[in-house]
Amino acid sequence: VGELEGKSVLEIGAGLGLCGLVAARAEANARRVVLTDFHPRIVDNLAYNIALNAPALISGPGAVTAAALDWEALPRCLSEEKGAEEGEATLDADDPVEKATWAPFDIIVGSDLVCEATDCVLVARVLKRLLAHDGVAHITLGSQESRFGVECFAESLAAHGLQVESVADVAVPAICLPPGGIGQEQAPPRGSSESDASKNAAQDEILDQSEEFGPRSGEVFIGTARAYLHFRVRHCQKTEAESN
């Protein structure tokens, strides 16, 4: 909690926004928290979850917000320009809203962000642009046995001038795994009423899509990881000799 006091916090690939909502709790006393994902419906749901938890969160105009952030098409104000300081976002001074939203963050958090190698490059790009020069990112990923591409994470970030420290490797307790083990997830009970028809159809679509990838790939997209890896990421600091 103490680490968040007075800091700006960004959650990337937020999904339901759990990490960001925890960071935004009033007792943490963060300065501002932004929860992001790429799809408008997910962003709408993030805004709903913020409103639902508002009594327990930091307050004030723009203190906790949800915003769209597509890693493959970053906002115009984050475009690269010559002369920009390494590790800092380039902001459009003519757009105060964008400037306020995407000013570099003191802390960035993200969980289960990588399902293929290209995700590592995209995450590196986002961290390089949006992490403050003296900021820190806390990233938790499923282990490489359960998620494609995780083995490329450290190398991809290093190539973008980021320093990666492996902090923890935590196995998932057996009680948290699906019956029968990884890859044996059971579908939720199907409803029989007319109102359940659309839910059943959506469930069938998800299962059909997962079967296209085979057992292991299906696990990557919808399964529980066997273990989770936690990384601490910072900008590489130049020495005085390198600066000269």
Side-chain angles (χ1 to χ4, degrees):
V1 171
E3 183 183 355
L4 301 175
E5 186 170 2
K7 302 294 180 62
S8 57
V9 182
L10 171 71
E11 182 179 10
I12 59 175
L16 295 175
L18 177 60
C19 296
L21 290 171
V22 171
R25 288 185 63 84
E27 58 264 35
N29 203 26
R31 177 164 50 87
R32 71 180 182 110
V33 179
V34 181
L35 283 60
T36 66
D37 214 299
F38 82 102
H39 197 287
R41 290 178 62 184
I42 298 177
V43 176
D44 288 345
N45 193 58
L46 285 171
Y48 174 83
N49 287 342
I50 290 170
L52 191 65
N53 290 276
L57 306 181
I58 55 175
S59 58
V64 188
T65 57
L69 181 62
D70 185 344
W71 302 347
E72 295 184 339
L74 295 177
R76 181 171 53 89
C77 67
L78 298 178
S79 61
E80 290 183 282
E81 288 184 4
K82 280 190 174 181
E85 290 294 325
E86 182 176 356
E88 294 184 358
T90 300
L91 302 173
D92 183 352
D94 296 330
D95 192 331
V97 175
E98 280 198 332
K99 183 174 181 179
T101 301
W102 303 117
F105 290 82
D106 301 311
I107 297 173
I108 297 179
V109 296
S111 177
D112 223 349
L113 304 175
V114 173
C115 284
E116 57 185 9
T118 54
D119 292 335
C120 298
V121 176
L122 295 173
V123 171
R125 186 165 164 250
V126 170
L127 295 182
K128 182 175 178 66
R129 306 284 183 81
L130 285 172
L131 184 63
H133 187 63
D134 58 351
V136 59
H138 297 281
I139 307 296
T140 299
L141 305 176
S143 63
Q144 63 189 50
E145 291 80 14
S146 300
R147 298 290 187 269
F148 295 135
V150 172
E151 67 278 4
C152 303
F153 185 70
E155 181 180 352
S156 295
L157 267 64
H160 283 75
L162 298 165
Q163 177 184 338
V164 184
E165 177 187 0
S166 180
V167 179
D169 182 345
V170 181
V172 175
I175 195 172
C176 298
L177 298 176
I182 293 291
Q184 301 300 317
E185 291 82 355
Q186 295 181 350
R190 296 173 65 83
S192 56
S193 67
E194 185 175 342
S195 63
D196 291 321
S198 61
K199 294 180 182 178
N200 292 338
Q203 179 181 318
D204 288 339
E205 182 178 354
I206 292 172
L207 292 175
D208 288 344
Q209 290 174 351
S210 67
E211 287 170 2
E212 292 178 8
F213 298 101
R216 187 174 187 280
S217 296
E219 170 192 327
V220 166
F221 287 95
I222 65 173
T224 302
R226 295 179 176 86
Y228 284 88
L229 314 175
H230 178 66
F231 299 92
R232 187 181 292 124
V233 182
R234 303 179 189 272
H235 290 289
C236 290
Q237 301 297 322
K238 290 183 177 179
T239 65
E240 186 175 343
E242 289 174 327
S243 299
N244 294 331

